[in-house]
């Protein structure tokens, strides 16, 4: 019995020494130290050892377990070192690292964030609304009659359900006034959709920024001052800004805003950048009817609204000739706005 333990020990250690992979090492660990391992089974024999030899037997057993465990651990770390070395073979750690391509903000994101920043400093809060709209919020409540050309199936994407992809962000005006009482001062950036022929200046989806300010004493000079300030912040203090009378169903009076652009090597010219006007009383009445109260009584409430195309502003700011560049994700183009 006393020879059995040292024999198991030396056999195990010899076997461990010859092992070349971790899996075999695990098998040997189980075969010797596991529940049915050779050493474990031999240890169970202690009950048959005479009382006076039990202590010596125990010592042999412990010494064997310690020696075998140490051999297993040593072998395991040697195998792992060897694997690490093999993995690194052929790699030149002195080579310079490959440069990481770091992304930049898309020009549309840049101009949108800038526009939002300017308007927030003037007290406008962000508002939001769905892109899949109903005719009431996109047209009817905005005083746009059923026979208006914008409502034509040729110009607007309709769903079979009668819903539609909003043709402008102006629908957010209605949704905001339905849920909040005056005063309101909001801006709503977002996508708008039209069935336009796609060319250098038109896509079927584009980005708008809507604004609405309603209180008890909002006047035309407030509208002019706010938007003049906005375009001076965006395009520089020397930029000419003019308001041209126009028509929108939802504002009266209405204007289009042009900015005077100075492009190097070209004669300065006026470019249309936004629509705006004083909120038409009919819009307030539509909101009142929907809310079922008189919170927006046109005798006490006035407001202005505006809407502009962010794609257009980006094209003007950077002299981008083709709107399609904004959606093609060509990094050679996008890199220029880093
Ligand atoms: N909704 C108009 C458009 O898509 C833009 C616009 C014009 C918005 C005048 C307004 C506004 O709020 O007052 O062309």
């Amino acid at each position: 019995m006393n020879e059995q333990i040292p024999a198991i020990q030396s056999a195990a250690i010899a076997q461990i020494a010859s092992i070349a992979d971790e899996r075999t090492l695990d098998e040997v660990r189980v075969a010797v130290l596991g529940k049915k391992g050779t050493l474990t089974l031999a240890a169970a024999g202690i009950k048959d050892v005479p009382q006076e030899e039990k202590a010596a037997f125990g010592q042999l057993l412990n010494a064997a377990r310690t020696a075998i465990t140490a051999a297993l651990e040593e072998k395991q770390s040697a195998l792992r070192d060897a694997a690490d070395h093999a993995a690194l073979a052929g790699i030149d750690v002195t080579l310079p690292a490959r440069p990481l391509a770091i992304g930049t903000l898309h020009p549309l994101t840049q101009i949108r964030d800038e526009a939002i920043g300017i308007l927030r400093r003037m007290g406008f809060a962000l508002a939001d609304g769905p892109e899949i709209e109903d005719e009431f919020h996109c047209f009817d409540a905005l005083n746009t009659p059923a026979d208006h050309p914008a409502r034509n199936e040729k110009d607007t994407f309709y769903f079979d359900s009668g819903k539609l992809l909003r043709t402008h962000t102006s629908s957010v005006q209605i949704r905001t006034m339905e849920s909040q009482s005056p005063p309101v001062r909001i801006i709503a950036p977002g996508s708008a959709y039209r069935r336009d022929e796609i060319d250098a200046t038109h896509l079927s989806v584009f980005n708008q920024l809507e604004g609405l300010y309603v209180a008890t004493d909002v006047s035309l000079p407030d509208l002019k001052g706010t938007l003049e300030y906005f375009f001076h912040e965006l395009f520089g203090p020397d930029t000419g800004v003019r308001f041209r009378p126009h028509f929108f169903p939802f504002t009266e009076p209405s204007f289009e805003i042009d900015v005077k652009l100075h492009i190097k090597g070209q004669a300065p010219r006026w470019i249309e950048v936004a629509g705006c006007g004083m909120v038409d009383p009919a819009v307030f009445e539509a909101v009142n009817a929907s809310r079922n109260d008189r919170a927006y009584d046109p005798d006490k409430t006035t407001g202005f609204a505006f809407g502009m195309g962010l794609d257009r502003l980006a094209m003007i700011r950077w002299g981008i000739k083709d709107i399609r560049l904004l959606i093609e994700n060509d990094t050679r183009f996008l890199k220029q706005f880093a």
Side-chain angles (χ1 to χ4, degrees):
M1 180 68 73
N2 278 2
E3 285 95 65
Q4 196 194 351
I5 305 283
I8 292 174
Q9 175 177 341
S10 52
I13 285 177
Q15 202 179 359
I16 290 166
S18 69
I19 286 174
D21 65 288
E22 281 200 65
R23 182 181 279 194
T24 315
L25 194 67
D26 283 335
E27 283 166 14
V28 171
R29 186 195 319 274
V30 173
V32 178
L33 301 179
K35 262 196 223 143
K36 291 183 185 152
T38 47
L39 192 69
T40 313
L41 292 179
I46 195 164
K47 61 181 188 311
D48 303 325
V49 174
Q51 191 58 36
E52 61 280 10
E53 288 173 30
K54 273 200 196 320
F57 185 86
Q59 271 172 15
L60 272 182
L61 203 57
N62 279 339
R65 190 176 283 123
T66 309
I68 293 168
T69 306
L72 284 167
E73 279 170 9
E74 199 181 313
K75 188 64 177 189
Q76 184 170 41
S77 77
L79 287 174
R80 288 194 177 162
D81 280 355
D84 285 351
H85 274 103
L88 281 175
I91 293 179
D92 182 351
V93 294
T94 65
L95 280 178
R98 289 199 193 110
L100 276 184
I102 296 174
T104 56
L105 290 180
H106 191 280
L108 267 174
T109 308
Q110 292 185 33
I111 201 124
R112 186 196 63 199
D113 289 354
E114 206 178 310
I116 291 174
I118 298 166
L119 289 158
R120 286 187 64 151
R121 287 201 292 282
M122 285 194 274
F124 286 86
L126 278 169
D128 204 0
E131 291 177 22
I132 297 176
E133 258 301 359
D134 50 47
E135 294 199 80
F136 175 74
H137 291 92
C138 199
F139 297 127
D140 296 300
L142 286 158
N143 197 31
T144 307
D147 59 358
H148 192 279
R151 300 183 65 155
N152 198 302
E153 296 219 350
K154 287 211 299 293
D155 295 313
T156 302
F157 294 103
Y158 284 93
F159 294 94
D160 291 342
S161 65
K163 290 214 169 190
L164 49 88
L165 289 176
R166 69 180 179 195
T167 57
H168 50 191
T169 45
S170 306
S171 50
V172 183
Q173 290 184 26
I174 304 303
R175 291 194 174 270
T176 305
M177 289 191 282
E178 280 176 333
S179 63
Q180 294 175 35
S181 297
V184 296
R185 185 154 47 181
I186 53 114
I187 45 173
S191 305
Y193 303 82
R194 289 180 199 172
R195 295 182 74 149
D196 280 327
E197 289 290 338
I198 292 175
D199 61 23
T201 52
H202 296 88
L203 290 171
S204 43
V205 53
F206 59 107
N207 299 274
Q208 281 196 323
L209 179 73
E210 187 79 17
L212 173 72
Y213 177 31
V214 179
T216 49
D217 52 2
V218 181
S219 66
L220 191 52
D222 294 321
L223 163 63
K224 286 193 73 179
T226 302
L227 289 169
E228 232 166 54
Y229 175 82
F230 172 80
F231 285 110
H232 283 161
E233 286 290 292
L234 200 66
F235 289 123
D238 301 328
T239 309
V241 178
R242 78 178 178 194
F243 292 73
R244 224 176 348 94
H246 194 74
F247 174 80
F248 294 106
F250 27 90
T251 45
E252 181 60 33
S254 304
F255 306 89
E256 280 192 329
I257 306 174
D258 302 331
V259 294
K260 195 170 196 174
L261 275 194
H262 298 266
I263 301 169
K264 260 201 199 116
Q266 286 182 23
R269 62 194 166 98
W270 291 99
I271 293 201
E272 180 221 318
V273 286
C276 65
M278 301 305 294
V279 178
D280 195 297
V283 172
F284 288 142
E285 288 298 11
V287 168
N288 287 334
S290 168
R291 293 171 54 110
N292 207 10
D293 65 14
R294 304 282 310 153
Y296 288 85
D297 183 347
D299 289 336
K300 302 180 190 133
T301 317
T302 54
F304 69 70
F306 56 90
M308 60 187 91
L310 290 169
D311 312 72
R312 187 134 218 238
L313 295 184
M315 291 171 78
I316 293 172
R317 150 78 62 88
W318 287 291
I320 299 166
K321 294 262 155 46
D322 194 321
I323 193 172
R324 289 169 288 201
L325 287 164
L326 292 173
I327 57 162
E328 282 169 353
N329 276 338
D330 184 335
T331 52
R332 291 168 302 178
F333 168 74
L334 295 173
K335 260 186 209 159
Q336 301 172 61
F337 306 93

